[in-house]
Amino acid sequence: MIREVLASRGPQAAVRVQGWVRTRRDAKGFSFLEVNDGSSRGNVQVIVDESCPAFGGIEKFTTGSAVDVTGELVPSQGKGQSWELRAAELILVGGADESYPLQKKRHSPEYLREIAHLRPRSNLFGAVFRVRSRLAYAIHRFFQERGFLYVHTPIITASDCEGAGEMFRVTTLPLNKAPVGADGEVDAGKDFFGRPTFLTVSGQLEAEIFACSHSNVYTFGPTFRAENSHTSRHASEFWMIEPEMAFCDLEGDMELAETFIKELIADVMEHAADDLAFFDQFVDKGLLERLRFVLERPFQRVSYTEAVAILQASGRTFAYPAEWGANLQSEHERYLTEEHFKSPVTLYNYPQSIKPFYMRRNDDGKTVAAMDVLVPGIGEIIGGSQREERLDFLDEALAAHQLDPADYWWYRDLRRYGSVPHAGFGLGFERMLMFVTGVANIRDVIPFARTPGVAEF
Ligand code: 4AD
Ligand code: MG
């Protein structure tokens, strides 16, 4: 791996490197190849001279071609690298002609999105996807070290956890001649699963089942939302991390959320330092300073009711005025975290009427034990709550949301047999990546973005 080669402690007589040529420069009697294999931002500089049999055909080693090099690792004379590789043997594994789109020049992220099959070979996306991989590892490490059980919740489901009706239908019925029942509706009973099924919007309801057997659990998987949002923070397919803890209340939930975010930041700052330095320099100046600031300070904690009062007293004209009982808009969230508090904020105790059925009703009868974590630059990064563990209140909430208790028979059973206070949250993996890299568009932190109208690759 080139990362290991570049970190070599001394010269080496024989080193082998396999990767892709970023650039070639020809001088009299020798050529330089910059070769990258994705293991780090740094390229290894390969020197090819007349002693190497491939030198005669060096013009075939173009930008984008794949090479296999063996040679001696020696201290570099030039600036910018400590080591260079003097090629003894150089093999062209796969050539690339001049139509290769990633020639050495700056490309816009929008253009690179159109060539998502090649963009991982660019500096920017090389770094983004290394950090993505590291962050996924850090997430598993965080929970595994704390004894949380990793649960795989289903991707195909019959229930709409968030109740927002933003689900993708899963069906094998022919679109043009689906069987129709007496009521004129498509007869889902004749479908593959014998009932209407969808791609999941959240693994929470199933995670609750496992919290009620294994105490502390988490999920980490793809989730889907068929919402027609055209923003830089919404994707139709995204990954979510959902811890769920038994014998835990909202306070414990907010504690975990804050510790979790801070530990993830500390992990990537340590283990992806080189890539974060790149983002700080080229993508979002001030990124590292902001991340350090977030690490050092406690998150602000404010109730929804206080937040609305702050917004109303702000003297700001918002496109949607802040009003108790209405959802906070992203302009409100950003005002609170970017301007008023200038730090991450955990908002809690939201009006019951704007939240899903499963959240625990507070004693005031108006609010539920919900919480959202907002961060500067993004807004909502985490949404969570303490769950309603009392069967009578749950049944009231199901009725209020016009949900059929029969459909939730297993969820209700959890409240009938050994019910416990429990709580959890969902962290949007891509939003967290945006936060730690400073990359401004969700389409640029997921390998193959799915957004309304886009499912290429
Ligand atoms: O707030 P949400 O909808 O909460 C839930 O799904 C709960 N069931 C979670 C739980 O309590 N276990 O989504 C959680 C997070 C959001 O805060 C956001 O970071 C992310 O998921 N998210 C999205 N990320 C990208 N694109 C979208 N369309 C997203 N919708 C939500
Ligand atoms: Mg939410």
Side-chain angles (χ1 to χ4, degrees):
M1 260 200 303
I2 288 172
R3 178 159 54 87
E4 286 163 1
V5 168
L6 295 176
S8 183
R9 295 228 198 104
Q12 296 185 50
V15 163
R16 183 177 181 194
V17 155
Q18 294 161 301
W20 292 266
V21 174
R22 286 289 179 87
T23 58
R24 192 189 78 238
R25 278 183 298 130
D26 298 323
K28 203 167 157 46
F30 59 96
S31 291
F32 296 106
L33 297 180
E34 296 284 339
V35 179
N36 190 285
D37 67 356
S39 60
S40 75
R41 182 149 67 91
N43 305 321
V44 67
Q45 174 162 287
V46 178
I47 304 201
V48 195
D49 63 21
E50 282 149 342
S51 68
C52 179
F55 185 69
I58 197 70
E59 66 290 339
K60 293 196 297 274
F61 291 79
T62 49
T63 295
S65 53
V67 295
D68 188 334
V69 199
T70 310
E72 189 184 356
L73 193 70
V74 298
S76 175
Q77 315 294 317
K79 281 203 304 233
Q81 69 274 324
S82 341
W83 300 106
E84 59 194 28
L85 185 59
R86 301 201 153 266
E89 193 185 1
L90 172 64
I91 300 165
L92 184 68
V93 178
D97 67 24
E98 64 285 345
S99 66
Y100 180 63
L102 288 178
Q103 298 297 333
K104 194 180 167 75
K105 69 171 184 140
R106 231 188 111 78
H107 299 284
S108 72
E110 290 77 16
Y111 169 68
L112 290 169
R113 231 173 262 156
E114 291 169 18
I115 50 165
H117 59 308
L118 295 172
R119 71 177 182 170
R121 298 192 205 174
S122 67
N123 281 333
L124 174 64
F125 290 97
V128 165
F129 295 122
R130 274 190 299 276
V131 174
R132 187 175 167 112
S133 171
R134 177 71 214 186
L135 190 65
Y137 178 61
I139 285 162
H140 284 297
R141 201 174 78 153
F142 178 89
F143 288 119
Q144 295 289 334
E145 283 178 355
R146 284 169 172 74
F148 281 61
L149 182 94
Y150 178 30
V151 195
H152 300 104
T153 51
I155 287 172
I156 299 173
T157 174
S159 46
D160 180 2
C161 175
E162 295 306 294
E166 292 166 339
M167 313 236 287
F168 289 101
R169 183 79 178 250
V170 174
T171 179
T172 53
L173 294 176
L175 283 180
N176 55 350
K177 42 181 197 301
V180 174
D183 55 0
E185 300 285 323
V186 169
D187 183 1
K190 300 220 166 67
D191 206 344
F192 191 88
F193 295 105
R195 59 193 298 175
T197 48
F198 308 88
L199 295 179
T200 188
V201 297
S202 160
Q204 177 197 319
L205 302 185
E206 293 89 352
E208 284 186 54
I209 294 177
F210 274 80
C212 292
S213 62
H214 289 71
S215 305
N216 289 340
V217 305
Y218 71 106
T219 70
F220 184 2
T223 48
F224 307 86
R225 306 253 168 130
E227 61 187 319
N228 200 11
S229 296
H230 298 257
T231 79
S232 57
R233 304 171 306 124
H234 287 90
S236 316
E237 174 176 325
F238 63 98
W239 285 60
M240 186 152 53
I241 301 97
E242 296 183 276
E244 191 70 32
M245 295 166 288
F247 305 99
C248 181
D249 60 11
L250 188 68
E251 184 70 24
D253 202 32
M254 294 194 286
E255 288 290 321
L256 186 81
E258 181 167 343
T259 309
F260 183 42
I261 289 192
K262 288 182 170 171
E263 282 220 10
L264 295 185
I265 292 174
D267 182 282
V268 292
M269 284 181 83
E270 181 181 348
H271 297 284
D274 192 45
D275 287 323
L276 290 207
F278 169 83
F279 294 122
D280 189 57
Q281 193 180 350
F282 295 107
V283 174
D284 180 6
K285 292 199 169 56
L287 171 73
L288 289 174
E289 199 188 309
R290 187 163 69 245
L291 293 179
R292 260 182 239 116
F293 175 91
V294 169
L295 269 188
E296 283 162 12
R297 260 157 267 243
F299 292 8
Q300 302 288 324
R301 267 189 212 170
V302 192
S303 72
Y304 165 91
T305 303
E306 291 168 89
V308 170
I310 291 171
L311 292 165
Q312 288 173 342
S314 68
R316 259 313 163 84
T317 333
F318 296 108
Y320 295 87
E323 233 181 293
W324 202 98
N327 263 313
L328 294 183
Q329 302 292 322
S330 106
E331 55 177 344
H332 303 138
E333 296 179 342
R334 297 190 64 164
Y335 174 81
L336 290 169
T337 170
E338 288 164 27
E339 297 184 52
H340 188 82
F341 290 109
K342 296 191 168 61
S343 111
V345 188
T346 310
L347 296 185
Y348 61 93
N349 289 351
Y350 282 72
Q352 182 171 35
S353 55
I354 56 171
K355 289 294 186 184
F357 73 94
Y358 55 72
M359 296 189 176
R360 190 177 196 276
R361 186 199 292 187
N362 287 324
D363 293 341
D364 63 11
K366 288 191 307 189
T367 62
V368 286
M371 65 102 173
D372 274 5
V373 178
L374 317 178
V375 296
I378 290 166
E380 179 190 338
I381 196 165
I382 279 180
S385 66
Q386 183 172 343
R387 321 305 186 189
E388 185 56 82
E389 86 283 13
R390 301 160 297 186
L391 187 60
D392 47 346
F393 286 112
L394 178 67
D395 282 342
E396 275 183 35
L398 286 170
H401 285 86
Q402 293 171 333
L403 297 169
D404 183 353
D407 291 340
Y408 293 84
W409 65 274
W410 48 271
Y411 195 76
R412 294 179 69 251
D413 266 4
L414 298 178
R415 278 76 186 160
R416 295 173 61 207
Y417 308 123
S419 189
V420 285
H422 59 288
F425 62 78
L427 169 70
F429 185 50
E430 284 73 23
R431 295 211 184 152
M432 186 64 194
L433 263 168
M434 293 167 72
F435 189 56
V436 298
T437 59
V439 168
N441 198 307
I442 197 164
R443 295 164 181 79
D444 297 330
V445 294
I446 188 162
F448 306 103
R450 269 82 182 97
T451 50
V454 181
E456 186 70 52
F457 305 102

